[in-house]
Amino acid sequence: MKEAIETFKSMSAFEKRKTVLLNIGGSVFLMANWFTFIYVMNHVSVKATSLAYLVCPILTTLLAYFILHEKLSKTQWMAVGLSISGCLLLSYANIMDMFFSIIIGFTYASYLVSQRVNKGFDKFIILTFHISLAALFLLPFYPAYSGTIPTEFKFYFCIETIAILFTIFPLFLNLYALSGINSSTVGMLLNINPMIAFLLAMFLYKEQFGLIQIIAYGIVFLAVIVFNSHHIFAMKQKFTTISKDSKIT
């Protein structure tokens, strides 16, 4: 906290204004993402929220390209095209699912892109600020929309698990990743989430999937590999070099 305050004090007036806007904007985008996700989950369909996880990486990549001017290779553009085709296959039966998915995906993509340029502060401090500000924004709605206070231990255990393990921890890792890699790469890696959910649904819960859905998820998985192929080949080359050096020694 002391370092964050000192860093903020040392900034110019323009940098201070930019930092304040980035963090307020980040909190608003995060809050909008939570609200749209919960609304669509409860009032539209679960499928639409699942599709949002696939749409978000595409939107993140496009926003990063046009706003942050992050460079994309021909291979990465090919991966974006593959992702789009996979999403279209999944949404061909219901265009409204795609509409709501784009709204959810856009809010989180905007959050990731805005935080890519939000530098100079500890990521946990930034995340604390975003969540605290979101809580203050939502506080006035509490008297009108609150219900009876739950008393069961199970409720509070589930809320704490969701808040810490499935919300704060992933958000912190996303912000931490943005300090080292491009937001487009972070966005594409989000595709791993629905891929894991798809595999769990198929093999653990024995849910039935049509051929088109299997093909669509396969295309998206291929897109993740293609998008990060340069990292994969670089790691393979490094590993090969280390192996050769160890044999020589």
Side-chain angles (χ1 to χ4, degrees):
M1 284 293 292
K2 288 181 179 179
E3 288 180 3
I5 293 169
E6 289 174 4
T7 301
F8 185 78
K9 286 181 177 179
S10 65
M11 290 179 171
S12 63
F14 173 77
E15 289 175 331
K16 285 180 180 178
R17 188 163 57 251
K18 180 183 175 183
T19 299
V20 170
L21 289 174
L22 280 173
N23 283 289
I24 292 176
S27 183
V28 171
F29 284 133
L30 193 61
M31 185 171 54
N33 177 256
W34 289 342
F35 176 79
T36 53
F37 183 89
I38 293 170
Y39 177 84
V40 173
M41 173 73 76
N42 286 284
H43 300 285
V44 182
S45 71
V46 177
K47 182 184 174 183
T49 56
S50 300
L51 190 58
Y53 280 108
L54 298 175
V55 174
C56 180
I58 300 169
L59 295 174
T60 304
T61 303
L62 294 176
L63 287 177
Y65 177 79
F66 288 109
I67 297 175
L68 302 181
H69 306 293
E70 292 183 0
K71 301 298 180 183
L72 295 175
S73 65
K74 291 181 179 179
T75 306
Q76 289 175 319
W77 276 116
M78 188 189 302
V80 173
L82 285 170
S83 292
I84 292 172
S85 62
C87 290
L88 290 175
L89 274 176
L90 286 172
S91 65
Y92 83 100
N94 192 338
I95 196 66
M96 288 306 296
D97 280 354
M98 175 59 79
F99 173 75
F100 286 111
S101 298
I102 289 173
I103 294 175
I104 298 171
F106 179 78
T107 54
Y108 195 66
S110 300
Y111 176 74
L112 288 177
V113 170
S114 66
Q115 297 314 299
R116 177 74 174 104
V117 292
N118 189 14
K119 299 178 179 178
F121 299 94
D122 180 82
K123 296 303 179 184
F124 199 79
I125 296 294
I126 290 174
L127 183 59
T128 302
F129 178 85
H130 291 167
I131 294 176
S132 300
L133 190 60
L136 290 175
F137 276 131
L138 295 171
L139 194 60
F141 297 97
Y142 179 77
Y145 292 97
S146 63
T148 55
I149 298 175
T151 56
E152 293 183 12
F153 170 77
K154 183 181 178 181
F155 170 82
Y156 292 99
F157 176 77
C158 289
I159 288 294
E160 288 298 320
T161 303
I162 293 169
I164 297 171
L165 198 60
F166 301 132
T167 304
I168 295 173
F169 191 57
L171 281 172
F172 174 72
L173 290 179
N174 277 340
L175 292 177
Y176 187 78
L178 286 170
S179 63
I181 57 179
N182 290 340
S183 51
S184 57
T185 305
V186 174
M188 284 301 291
L189 289 174
L190 290 176
N191 274 321
I192 295 172
N193 185 315
M195 291 307 304
I196 293 172
F198 170 74
L199 293 173
L200 286 173
M202 179 178 284
F203 295 108
L204 183 63
Y205 296 106
K206 308 297 181 183
E207 292 185 9
Q208 298 299 314
F209 288 90
L211 181 61
I212 291 178
Q213 288 178 305
I214 295 172
I215 293 172
Y217 275 102
I219 291 172
V220 172
F221 181 69
L222 179 62
V224 175
I225 295 174
V226 171
F227 191 91
N228 296 285
S229 59
H230 58 293
H231 292 302
I232 296 169
F233 288 130
M235 288 173 63
K236 184 179 179 181
Q237 188 176 6
K238 184 179 179 181
F239 180 77
T240 304
T241 305
I242 293 171
S243 299
K244 287 182 180 178
D245 291 340
S246 61
K247 287 180 181 178
I248 293 171
T249 53

